Amino acid sequence: ILGLSYLKSGEKPLAATAMEMSYKSSFNTGITEEALFTHGKVCYELSRFSQATKIFKTYLDQYPKGSRYQESVELLTDSY
Protein backbone atom coordinates (compact mmCIF):
# COMPACT_ATOMS: atom_id res chain seq x y z
CA ILE A 1 0.00 0.00 0.00
CA LEU A 2 1.25 3.43 -0.92
CA GLY A 3 0.13 4.82 2.43
CA LEU A 4 2.42 2.43 4.31
CA SER A 5 5.35 3.53 2.19
CA TYR A 6 4.63 7.14 3.08
CA LEU A 7 4.43 6.20 6.76
CA LYS A 8 7.79 4.45 6.64
CA SER A 9 9.38 7.50 5.05
CA GLY A 10 7.84 9.85 7.62
CA GLU A 11 5.44 11.54 5.20
CA LYS A 12 2.38 11.41 7.44
CA PRO A 13 0.22 13.96 5.58
CA LEU A 14 0.71 12.01 2.34
CA ALA A 15 0.10 8.76 4.22
CA ALA A 16 -3.22 10.10 5.53
CA THR A 17 -4.34 11.01 2.02
CA ALA A 18 -3.27 7.65 0.59
CA MET A 19 -5.04 5.75 3.39
CA GLU A 20 -8.24 7.70 2.82
CA MET A 21 -8.11 6.93 -0.90
CA SER A 22 -7.43 3.26 -0.18
CA TYR A 23 -10.33 3.06 2.26
CA LYS A 24 -12.75 4.64 -0.18
CA SER A 25 -11.71 2.62 -3.22
CA SER A 26 -10.82 -0.84 -1.90
CA PHE A 27 -13.07 -3.82 -2.44
CA ASN A 28 -11.04 -6.01 -0.10
CA THR A 29 -12.63 -5.86 3.37
CA GLY A 30 -9.36 -6.48 5.20
CA ILE A 31 -7.57 -3.71 3.35
CA THR A 32 -10.52 -1.36 3.76
CA GLU A 33 -10.65 -1.96 7.52
CA GLU A 34 -6.91 -1.48 8.00
CA ALA A 35 -6.81 1.60 5.77
CA LEU A 36 -9.65 3.23 7.70
CA PHE A 37 -8.00 2.56 11.06
CA THR A 38 -4.58 3.72 9.86
CA HIS A 39 -6.10 6.86 8.35
CA GLY A 40 -7.60 7.69 11.74
CA LYS A 41 -4.38 6.96 13.57
CA VAL A 42 -2.31 9.13 11.24
CA CYS A 43 -4.81 11.99 11.59
CA TYR A 44 -4.56 11.57 15.36
CA GLU A 45 -0.75 11.69 15.20
CA LEU A 46 -0.97 14.85 13.07
CA SER A 47 -3.21 16.44 15.75
CA ARG A 48 -6.18 16.46 13.37
CA PHE A 49 -8.40 15.43 16.25
CA SER A 50 -11.74 16.42 14.74
CA GLN A 51 -11.04 14.35 11.63
CA ALA A 52 -9.62 11.45 13.67
CA THR A 53 -12.75 11.42 15.86
CA LYS A 54 -15.01 11.05 12.82
CA ILE A 55 -12.84 8.32 11.33
CA PHE A 56 -12.69 6.28 14.55
CA LYS A 57 -16.45 6.57 14.98
CA THR A 58 -16.88 5.28 11.43
CA TYR A 59 -14.48 2.42 12.13
CA LEU A 60 -16.34 1.44 15.30
CA ASP A 61 -19.70 1.55 13.51
CA GLN A 62 -18.54 -0.45 10.49
CA TYR A 63 -16.28 -2.94 12.27
CA PRO A 64 -17.76 -3.70 15.72
CA LYS A 65 -15.74 -6.92 15.80
CA GLY A 66 -12.70 -5.47 14.02
CA SER A 67 -9.15 -6.36 14.94
CA ARG A 68 -8.42 -2.71 15.84
CA TYR A 69 -11.65 -2.09 17.76
CA GLN A 70 -10.13 -1.62 21.23
CA GLU A 71 -7.29 0.55 19.96
CA SER A 72 -9.85 2.65 18.07
CA VAL A 73 -11.85 3.15 21.27
CA GLU A 74 -8.71 4.29 23.10
CA LEU A 75 -7.63 6.68 20.35
CA LEU A 76 -11.16 8.01 19.98
CA THR A 77 -11.27 8.75 23.71
CA ASP A 78 -7.89 10.50 23.51
CA SER A 79 -9.05 12.53 20.50
CA TYR A 80 -11.55 14.47 22.60
Side-chain angles (χ1 to χ4, degrees):
I1 293 178
L2 181 61
L4 294 177
S5 296
Y6 283 133
L7 275 178
K8 288 181 182 180
S9 66
E11 298 288 339
K12 288 185 180 182
L14 294 173
T17 301
M19 289 297 175
E20 180 179 20
M21 291 173 58
S22 180
Y23 161 70
K24 290 181 177 179
S25 65
S26 181
F27 296 100
N28 180 313
T29 305
I31 292 172
T32 302
E33 178 184 347
E34 187 63 27
L36 181 61
F37 171 80
T38 304
H39 182 217
K41 187 172 182 179
V42 171
C43 287
Y44 173 85
E45 291 171 354
L46 291 170
S47 299
R48 297 178 184 171
F49 299 117
S50 176
Q51 189 176 7
T53 298
K54 291 177 187 175
I55 295 166
F56 289 128
K57 285 180 179 180
T58 299
Y59 180 91
L60 296 172
D61 287 343
Q62 291 184 3
Y63 302 102
K65 295 182 181 182
S67 62
R68 303 291 198 125
Y69 187 88
Q70 187 58 42
E71 191 174 357
S72 294
V73 169
E74 293 167 9
L75 289 170
L76 175 61
T77 302
D78 291 343
S79 295
Y80 288 110

